[in-house]
Amino acid sequence: MRASEIRTLAHQARIGPGVSVLDLCCGAAGPGRMITAESGCDYLGVDHSARALATAQELAGNLPCRFEQAHLPPLPEGRFEVVLLLETMLAFPGKEALAGEVARVLEPGGRFAFTVEEGRPLTQRERSRMPGADTVWLIELAELTDVLREAGLTVIWRQEYSSSHHAIATALLRCYQADSPQIAAQIGERATAELITAHQLWSDWLSSGRVRKFAMVAEKQ
């Protein structure tokens, strides 16, 4: 996501000074660190990768960020005013279990702020073409709204970012193609080919409307 899009999502989730934020699958926590620096929130980032969290901690410097290693779900114990999930909703096959856990740790009136790739589940042919298809679990918007509602979460804001996401995916694709020899020297020919194939598919799907990209905020009732 672009920085401006992350800021908009944080604003819609009412992240501000002292607001308790749980950032799921935070990785190196680039968005989380930016949000913490600009809002003064009380931030906890969680990820399963110890290496990513070590990088996040180093880059956080003097920011009041905390980090924990965990495989999700379940979510860490505690109560939070905002739960963030950026760029990783796609990887959860069980959206119901995820939404239930988010609702469990949110305070009444708390907000779930996330991004999602929306569309029909991949066909068998599409799955055979997509590298890492076991982490690509699309969901249609109506079904996602129902899943959230069943968990006690009501969508209060939604913004489509398909065009900007397509532009970024396409720009990355061109860079990967142009630099493929250098990339392959570091990660291997097969991994490089899969990287290019995946970005080609995302670029095509976003261009055609097969997949749409949204940022959303849902509130716990």
Side-chain angles (χ1 to χ4, degrees), residues 73-199:
L75 272 55
E77 293 302 318
R79 303 285 272 183
F80 302 89
E81 293 169 86
V82 175
V83 173
L84 285 175
L85 181 66
L86 304 178
E87 305 297 286
T88 44
M89 174 77 79
L90 189 70
F92 288 88
K95 306 290 195 287
E96 295 85 357
L98 173 65
E101 278 291 287
V102 169
R104 180 181 65 81
V105 302
L106 277 175
E107 297 278 6
R111 283 82 62 199
F112 180 30
F114 61 93
T115 61
V116 61
E117 286 80 10
E118 185 270 347
R120 301 181 312 280
L122 296 185
T123 64
Q124 194 58 45
R125 180 173 181 274
E126 288 171 332
R127 297 193 72 79
S128 69
R129 297 174 62 202
M130 170 59 76
D134 58 338
T135 62
V136 180
W137 303 100
L138 294 169
I139 186 170
E140 293 184 275
L141 209 56
E143 182 181 355
L144 177 60
T145 302
D146 288 342
V147 167
L148 294 169
R149 186 184 301 114
E150 287 294 318
L153 303 167
T154 301
V155 175
I156 59 173
W157 178 80
R158 184 180 77 199
Q159 177 67 51
E160 184 171 357
Y161 287 117
S162 299
S163 294
S164 61
H165 199 61
H166 171 253
I168 291 170
T170 303
L172 285 170
L173 171 63
R174 290 170 180 160
C175 290
Y176 294 148
Q177 289 172 327
D179 296 337
S180 60
Q182 297 95 316
I183 297 172
Q186 296 188 50
I187 67 173
E189 295 283 351
R190 178 176 177 179
T192 302
E194 290 180 346
L195 187 69
I196 290 172
T197 297
H199 281 76

